[in-house]
Amino acid sequence: MKKAEDHRHLIAALSGIVGRRHVLTQAGATRFYRLGFRSGAGDALAVVRPASLVHLWQVLQACAGADVAVIMQAANTGLTGGSTPAEGGYDRPVVIVSVRRIKGIVTLDDARQVLCLPGSTLHELERTLRPLGREPHSVIGSSCFGASVIGGVCNNSGGSLVRRGTAYTQYALFVRSTPDGGLELVNHLGIDLGDDPIEMLRRIDDGHFTHPTADGSLSASDTGYARQIRDIDAASPARHNADPRCLYEASGSAGKVAVLAVRLDTFPLEAETRTFYIGCNDPARLAELRRRILGDCDTLPIAAEYLHAEAFDLADRYGKDQFLLIDWLGTDRLPRFFALKSRLDGMFFRFRWLPANLVDRALHIAGRFWPDHLPHRMRAWRQRFEHHLLLKTSAGAAASEMRELLHDWQSQDCDVFECSAAEAQKAFLHRFVIAGAAIRCQAVNPRRTGGVLALDIALRRNDRDWFETLPEPISAQLLHRLYYGHFLCHVLHQDYITAPGTDCEALKAQMLAQLDARGARYPAEHNVGHSYRAPPALADFYRDLDPANRFNPGIGFTSRLRNHAPDR
């Protein structure tokens, strides 16, 4: 009875801070926030939606006073359950704090840097910077779903841009737990905000602070990545989530601190680009091309996105409606659409007599009846080639250099065409929707498929034998294999649709053992979440950030208990 009364008092306190309509407690109302993109939903006492940093600080204080665990959540676009409650529960109730209402982007130093609040999305940052001739660290990929800027920093997300590495900064304003269970506000923004937490946060909320200039004392981006990726003979990955080079306070924190603001570098806008669509039937030839580009080209490409033929086909069939929605609605309206879809899914879920995944089925059927959405040259290359690579370069000298290299490299088994602007846009969009194709395939074919196993891996930079070959006992358990990723970075996403009755956890263990033998690291850029075990050094980093285990307990299969006590 006392626990129930304590919970009521906490709900009342939270409602007093943010307003009753922004404290959600009913299972149907919290479902969207508890359910990840690929992972199942755990339980939460409440979802709280503050609209300012001051309210966020007060919410966190109330949660700490009530001794509940906190999961910080921005756009909820994660792929490994890193911002949703784990199934199986905790030793305390969990409150999800959604920061989507706390938006704000301030340009600094003539837009060479930005200050971003926790609800700001990559797309909003893109839109803010474009008229100023600048762009953010990431410009395609999950930004189409409204992924947050700070979420990318916390996850060390890499994205598709070859020259920029992981999302990284040493400038952040964040809240961490103290060993006695309290909270501490840490200002490492390089901006003088005073000493009183409420006054500090009010200044950020109101924009009343002295703008700094980039003084070079700390880094606001991964400035060494271009050198890192060009070291093609190194027997280690170019980037991965446990790389100590990019773990620093908020960067790589995976929700173990509450990040309130970050300061990041921006980059000159690539106004003119060229895209080359490459087809090949020999993985060794693509490995040769990768080494020549990284070793010989004066200018690195902007992006180099790989997709295998089976991924092409699954995206063509099961990602077509998503392709069309993005093409029609644009990225502004898409997050609202997916929020509406989640609410409809929750509503239909209550009616057990309805078919499972009704909205997915309806969208899939609608897409199948729409005319062909892909350019005819892409279709022709799919008929000829098993491996596809999209190379985007700067215009001018960089494009000329790439044309010359590709002309010298291509052969009977490898061919290239230079995309028009429309072809390039559709080619990259087709590559993007692969990420949801496996989930959609399983959702509309629940009886003919097992589960979906998604791996996010980083290969060694010197690895020439990059394309996976699976032994027959593993292959026999798979219906489909989707290989795609950031080719020059040697970061691959490998999604598998399993046969009915497959033990996905046992299969995953076998596959990870295969990757260990190859010297690969995982995850590469999606956060350990509740899908991967954090290596010892990464687990130590989490414990140092959050000594009371207040924030996102259990991440990376670490302890879910107070003060990191061993799980029983």
Side-chain angles (χ1 to χ4, degrees):
M1 289 292 292
K2 186 176 185 306
K3 285 186 177 180
E5 185 177 347
D6 290 344
H7 295 168
R8 285 195 294 272
H9 286 159
L10 175 60
I11 297 301
L14 296 173
S15 299
I17 296 168
V18 303
R20 185 66 188 91
R21 67 184 290 244
H22 294 297
V23 179
L24 312 178
T25 56
Q26 298 299 314
T30 63
R31 183 179 183 274
F32 171 77
Y33 302 89
R34 293 182 295 109
L35 185 65
F37 186 65
R38 284 177 175 161
S39 55
D43 296 323
L45 175 66
V47 174
V48 189
R49 304 184 300 189
S52 70
L53 295 181
V54 170
H55 285 171
L56 174 55
W57 169 249
Q58 293 170 333
V59 164
L60 295 177
Q61 285 185 306
C63 289
D67 193 27
V68 299
V70 172
I71 295 177
M72 300 295 295
Q73 186 183 99
N76 195 13
T77 58
L79 301 177
T80 60
S83 58
T84 50
E87 296 183 75
Y90 302 81
D91 62 340
R92 301 150 282 176
V94 169
V95 170
I96 299 172
V97 179
S98 171
V99 297
R100 298 177 74 167
R101 299 174 67 215
I102 310 177
K103 294 183 178 292
I105 297 169
V106 180
T107 59
L108 308 171
D109 191 21
D110 293 327
R112 285 189 285 269
Q113 288 191 335
V114 287
L115 179 75
C116 296
L117 300 192
S120 304
T121 68
L122 283 169
H123 183 260
E124 290 164 350
L125 181 54
E126 250 186 280
R127 192 171 55 197
T128 299
L129 292 174
R130 188 177 295 115
L132 305 175
R134 308 290 291 181
E135 64 183 13
H137 166 271
S138 300
V139 295
I140 71 164
S142 57
S143 59
C144 292
F145 279 117
S148 71
V149 176
I150 284 181
V153 171
C154 292
N155 293 340
N156 272 165
S157 298
S160 65
L161 298 184
V162 173
R163 306 167 188 169
R164 297 181 192 169
T166 58
Y168 177 78
T169 186
Q170 295 175 331
Y171 294 102
L173 176 70
F174 60 95
V175 178
R176 64 185 176 197
S177 72
T178 57
D180 62 1
L183 298 176
E184 178 185 13
L185 178 63
V186 180
N187 177 17
H188 287 168
L189 282 174
I191 299 172
D192 184 10
L193 299 172
D195 299 315
D196 177 70
I198 295 293
E199 184 58 31
M200 293 167 65
L201 298 178
R202 186 170 286 124
R203 287 182 180 181
I204 296 289
D205 281 332
D206 297 341
H208 296 159
F209 56 88
T210 302
H211 288 205
T213 57
D215 59 10
S217 60
L218 296 175
S219 179
S221 62
D222 183 5
T223 56
Y225 188 68
R227 294 189 302 274
Q228 180 92 347
I229 194 175
R230 282 190 184 274
D231 188 0
I232 54 178
D233 293 315
S236 61
R239 56 180 170 90
H240 60 95
N241 281 127
D243 186 352
R245 196 177 62 87
C246 289
L247 298 177
Y248 187 93
E249 296 181 340
S251 297
S253 60
K256 294 304 291 178
V257 293
V259 184
L260 279 59
V262 293
R263 184 174 149 196
L264 296 164
D265 288 335
T266 69
F267 304 87
L269 179 68
E270 293 278 358
E272 292 286 334
T273 64
R274 299 291 182 267
T275 296
F276 302 89
Y277 196 110
I278 297 164
C280 187
N281 287 318
D282 183 359
R285 294 296 316 283
L286 279 184
E288 174 197 338
L289 177 61
R290 173 182 172 273
R291 291 180 65 86
R292 289 181 63 177
I293 291 172
L294 293 176
D296 299 341
C297 284
D298 292 333
T299 304
L300 285 173
I302 297 168
E305 293 297 289
Y306 167 78
L307 57 157
H308 182 255
E310 192 166 8
F312 186 111
D313 293 345
L314 267 286
D316 186 18
R317 182 166 185 178
Y318 294 102
K320 182 177 179 180
D321 60 280
Q322 186 182 348
F323 180 109
L324 294 171
L325 283 169
I326 296 171
D327 205 28
W328 294 340
L329 297 179
T331 52
D332 281 337
R333 298 185 182 91
L334 203 62
R336 293 182 184 178
F337 172 82
F338 281 102
L340 173 62
K341 177 184 177 298
S342 179
R343 287 195 291 271
L344 290 173
D345 285 337
M347 182 178 68
F348 293 145
F349 184 75
R350 296 198 296 269
F351 302 99
R352 301 291 182 175
W353 49 272
L354 288 173
N357 305 307
L358 184 60
V359 179
D360 284 288
R361 292 170 183 264
L363 290 170
H364 174 62
I365 291 171
R368 291 187 65 181
F369 282 100
W370 201 258
D372 194 5
H373 59 300
L374 296 180
H376 73 274
R377 287 204 286 185
M378 284 180 64
R379 292 283 182 203
W381 253 236
R382 169 60 191 95
Q383 293 300 315
R384 295 175 58 190
F385 301 111
E386 182 178 2
H387 305 280
H388 299 242
L389 182 64
L390 308 176
L391 272 178
K392 180 186 286 188
T393 72
S394 304
S400 298
E401 179 182 45
M402 188 60 66
R403 286 189 197 98
E404 185 176 340
L405 188 153
L406 292 172
H407 182 268
D408 181 55
W409 169 82
Q410 70 188 92
S411 64
Q412 185 175 357
D413 257 4
C414 307
D415 206 350
V416 182
F417 70 83
E418 189 166 342
C419 296
S420 67
E423 287 173 326
Q425 189 268 336
K426 292 190 174 185
F428 277 101
L429 185 50
H430 184 62
R431 154 63 186 91
F432 170 68
V433 301
I434 295 173
I439 300 294
R440 171 60 62 76
C441 177
Q442 197 275 335
V444 302
N445 300 293
R447 296 181 181 177
R448 290 182 285 175
T449 60
V452 174
L453 175 58
L455 300 181
D456 165 38
I457 71 168
L459 301 177
R460 297 170 297 184
R461 282 168 282 175
N462 66 350
D463 199 341
R464 296 172 186 260
D465 190 16
W466 63 275
F467 189 70
E468 182 175 71
T469 302
L470 293 173
E472 179 56 30
I474 292 180
S475 293
Q477 301 176 70
L478 304 177
L479 297 178
H480 299 288
R481 294 176 246 187
L482 287 76
Y483 298 117
Y484 56 105
H486 317 306
F487 189 64
L488 296 185
C489 300
H490 254 193
V491 167
L492 294 177
H493 306 304
Q494 302 184 168
D495 298 347
Y496 308 90
I497 303 174
T498 65
T502 299
D503 183 340
C504 283
E505 285 304 311
L507 179 61
K508 180 179 178 180
Q510 296 175 56
M511 288 187 162
L512 294 183
Q514 293 266 124
L515 292 170
D516 290 339
R518 295 174 61 192
R521 299 297 297 270
Y522 47 83
E525 59 179 6
H526 285 166
N527 183 339
V528 290
H530 297 290
S531 299
Y532 299 93
R533 187 170 299 278
L538 185 59
D540 290 344
F541 175 67
Y542 294 156
R543 279 190 289 270
D544 290 342
L545 286 176
D546 182 22
N549 208 15
R550 173 77 60 204
F551 296 103
N552 215 357
I555 198 81
F557 296 97
T558 57
S559 171
R560 299 187 188 187
L561 307 181
R562 293 176 184 85
N563 303 313
H564 301 277
D567 284 327
R568 294 183 288 275

